[in-house]
Amino acid sequence: MTDWLPIYVWVIEHPEGKIVIDTGIPHDANKSRYFPPFMPLVQRAAHFDISEEEEIGPKMRALGLDPKDVRWVILTHLHQDHDGGLHHFPCAEFLVSQDEWDFASGLKGRLNGYLNQRWPRGFAPTRVNFGDGPLGPFPGHTKLTCAGDVTLIPTPGHAPGHLSVLVKEGDATIMFAGDTSYTENNLIGMIADGVGTDIDAELETHRKILAYAYKHPTVYLPSHDPEASKRLAGRIALQFE
């Protein structure tokens, strides 16, 4: 058990088009109609407290940002608290890793605990294969922007096809890390947490992130770390003893 945790979603105002990273949870996520009879534990695994006005679409509009203007929606993975706002982005191109799509879609996905019956009709994201070659300790990457400042990298463990997003900002990197760890402290402490599919892969991903951050100042932003927004605002990079 944990205390209440945030579910961060991120919006990048990029010259090549607005980018959204993950879409949060819908306000009615706890309702039993979302859960097939063979998934009772998934329904009980987490309880969500969110109003309709707190979904990503209304929150963006309150900030003067129109979801229809979003060019790309990047999904770190397809768990229910990251794919629950897909319907707010009718004009965007969605991106998800090929491995995550293979694990999460269809009957196999539902048996693996994904709520893919909730996805919008015709949901067909662009699948990412990280074919642009190694990037530091990471075995592959995909450049998203023509400027080369937004990059997708594989970070498996919490989910088989989990990906993270690296955004270059001067000499620093901002890493939108999804659920690679629940907190920065757990990353540094090499603690596997949450509902993960492969602890060994998760810890190996931790090692790769730390190796990258040792050479490149990196602001590390997991989706459920209460301190993530403060680190982003202050551009506070990972610290090493």
Side-chain angles (χ1 to χ4, degrees):
M1 297 292 289
T2 69
D3 293 330
W4 287 100
L5 297 174
I7 302 173
Y8 283 117
V9 298
W10 312 95
V11 181
I12 300 169
E13 295 187 87
H14 193 278
E16 296 179 31
K18 290 184 176 66
I19 304 168
V20 165
I21 303 172
D22 288 333
T23 66
I25 194 83
H27 70 281
D28 56 354
N30 298 306
K31 292 188 176 180
S32 60
R33 66 186 175 85
Y34 280 135
F35 300 90
F38 56 83
M39 296 172 66
L41 294 180
V42 175
Q43 185 177 4
R44 298 189 185 100
H47 185 78
F48 301 99
D49 183 12
I50 179 174
S51 68
E52 193 167 0
E53 293 73 26
E54 291 175 310
E55 291 187 10
I56 185 171
K59 291 290 281 186
M60 285 184 64
R61 285 189 285 272
L63 294 170
L65 301 170
D66 191 339
K68 292 181 180 179
D69 294 336
V70 171
R71 179 175 179 181
W72 292 296
V73 174
I74 304 167
L75 296 159
T76 62
H77 59 302
L78 291 167
H79 287 168
Q80 60 173 331
D81 53 333
H82 296 258
D83 72 1
L86 300 177
H87 59 285
H88 289 294
F89 301 99
C91 303
E93 177 185 2
F94 297 93
L95 296 103
V96 67
S97 80
Q98 182 68 61
D99 286 346
E100 184 70 358
W101 180 256
D102 291 344
F103 195 75
S105 58
L107 177 60
K108 176 183 176 181
R110 290 192 289 278
L111 292 172
N112 285 324
Y114 289 84
L115 303 183
N116 56 42
Q117 74 280 2
R118 194 181 64 190
W119 295 344
R121 186 181 298 276
F123 178 57
T126 298
R127 267 83 92 184
V128 177
N129 288 296
F130 311 107
D132 290 343
L135 179 68
F138 302 104
H141 75 287
T142 292
K143 292 288 187 186
L144 179 65
T145 56
C146 292
D149 53 356
V150 181
T151 302
L152 314 182
I153 55 169
T155 49
H158 178 79
H162 193 289
L163 65 78
S164 297
V165 183
L166 304 180
V167 177
K168 294 296 292 182
E169 189 178 72
D171 293 331
T173 298
I174 301 174
M175 181 176 185
F176 297 95
D179 287 359
T180 52
S181 68
Y182 274 10
T183 66
E184 181 179 85
N185 286 339
N186 283 1
L187 171 76
I188 294 170
M190 293 293 290
I191 298 170
D193 50 13
V195 181
T197 56
D198 188 330
I199 290 176
D200 290 339
E202 188 171 344
L203 294 178
E204 180 60 24
T205 286
H206 287 191
R207 282 188 280 270
K208 286 183 170 66
I209 293 169
L210 292 171
Y212 179 88
Y214 186 76
K215 293 186 176 181
H216 309 273
T218 299
V219 182
Y220 178 69
L221 304 175
S223 296
H224 304 298
D225 188 339
E227 300 300 314
S229 61
K230 294 179 184 178
R231 291 200 300 274
L232 177 60
R235 298 303 195 268
I236 301 170
L238 272 163
Q239 301 296 312
F240 294 89
E241 297 295 338

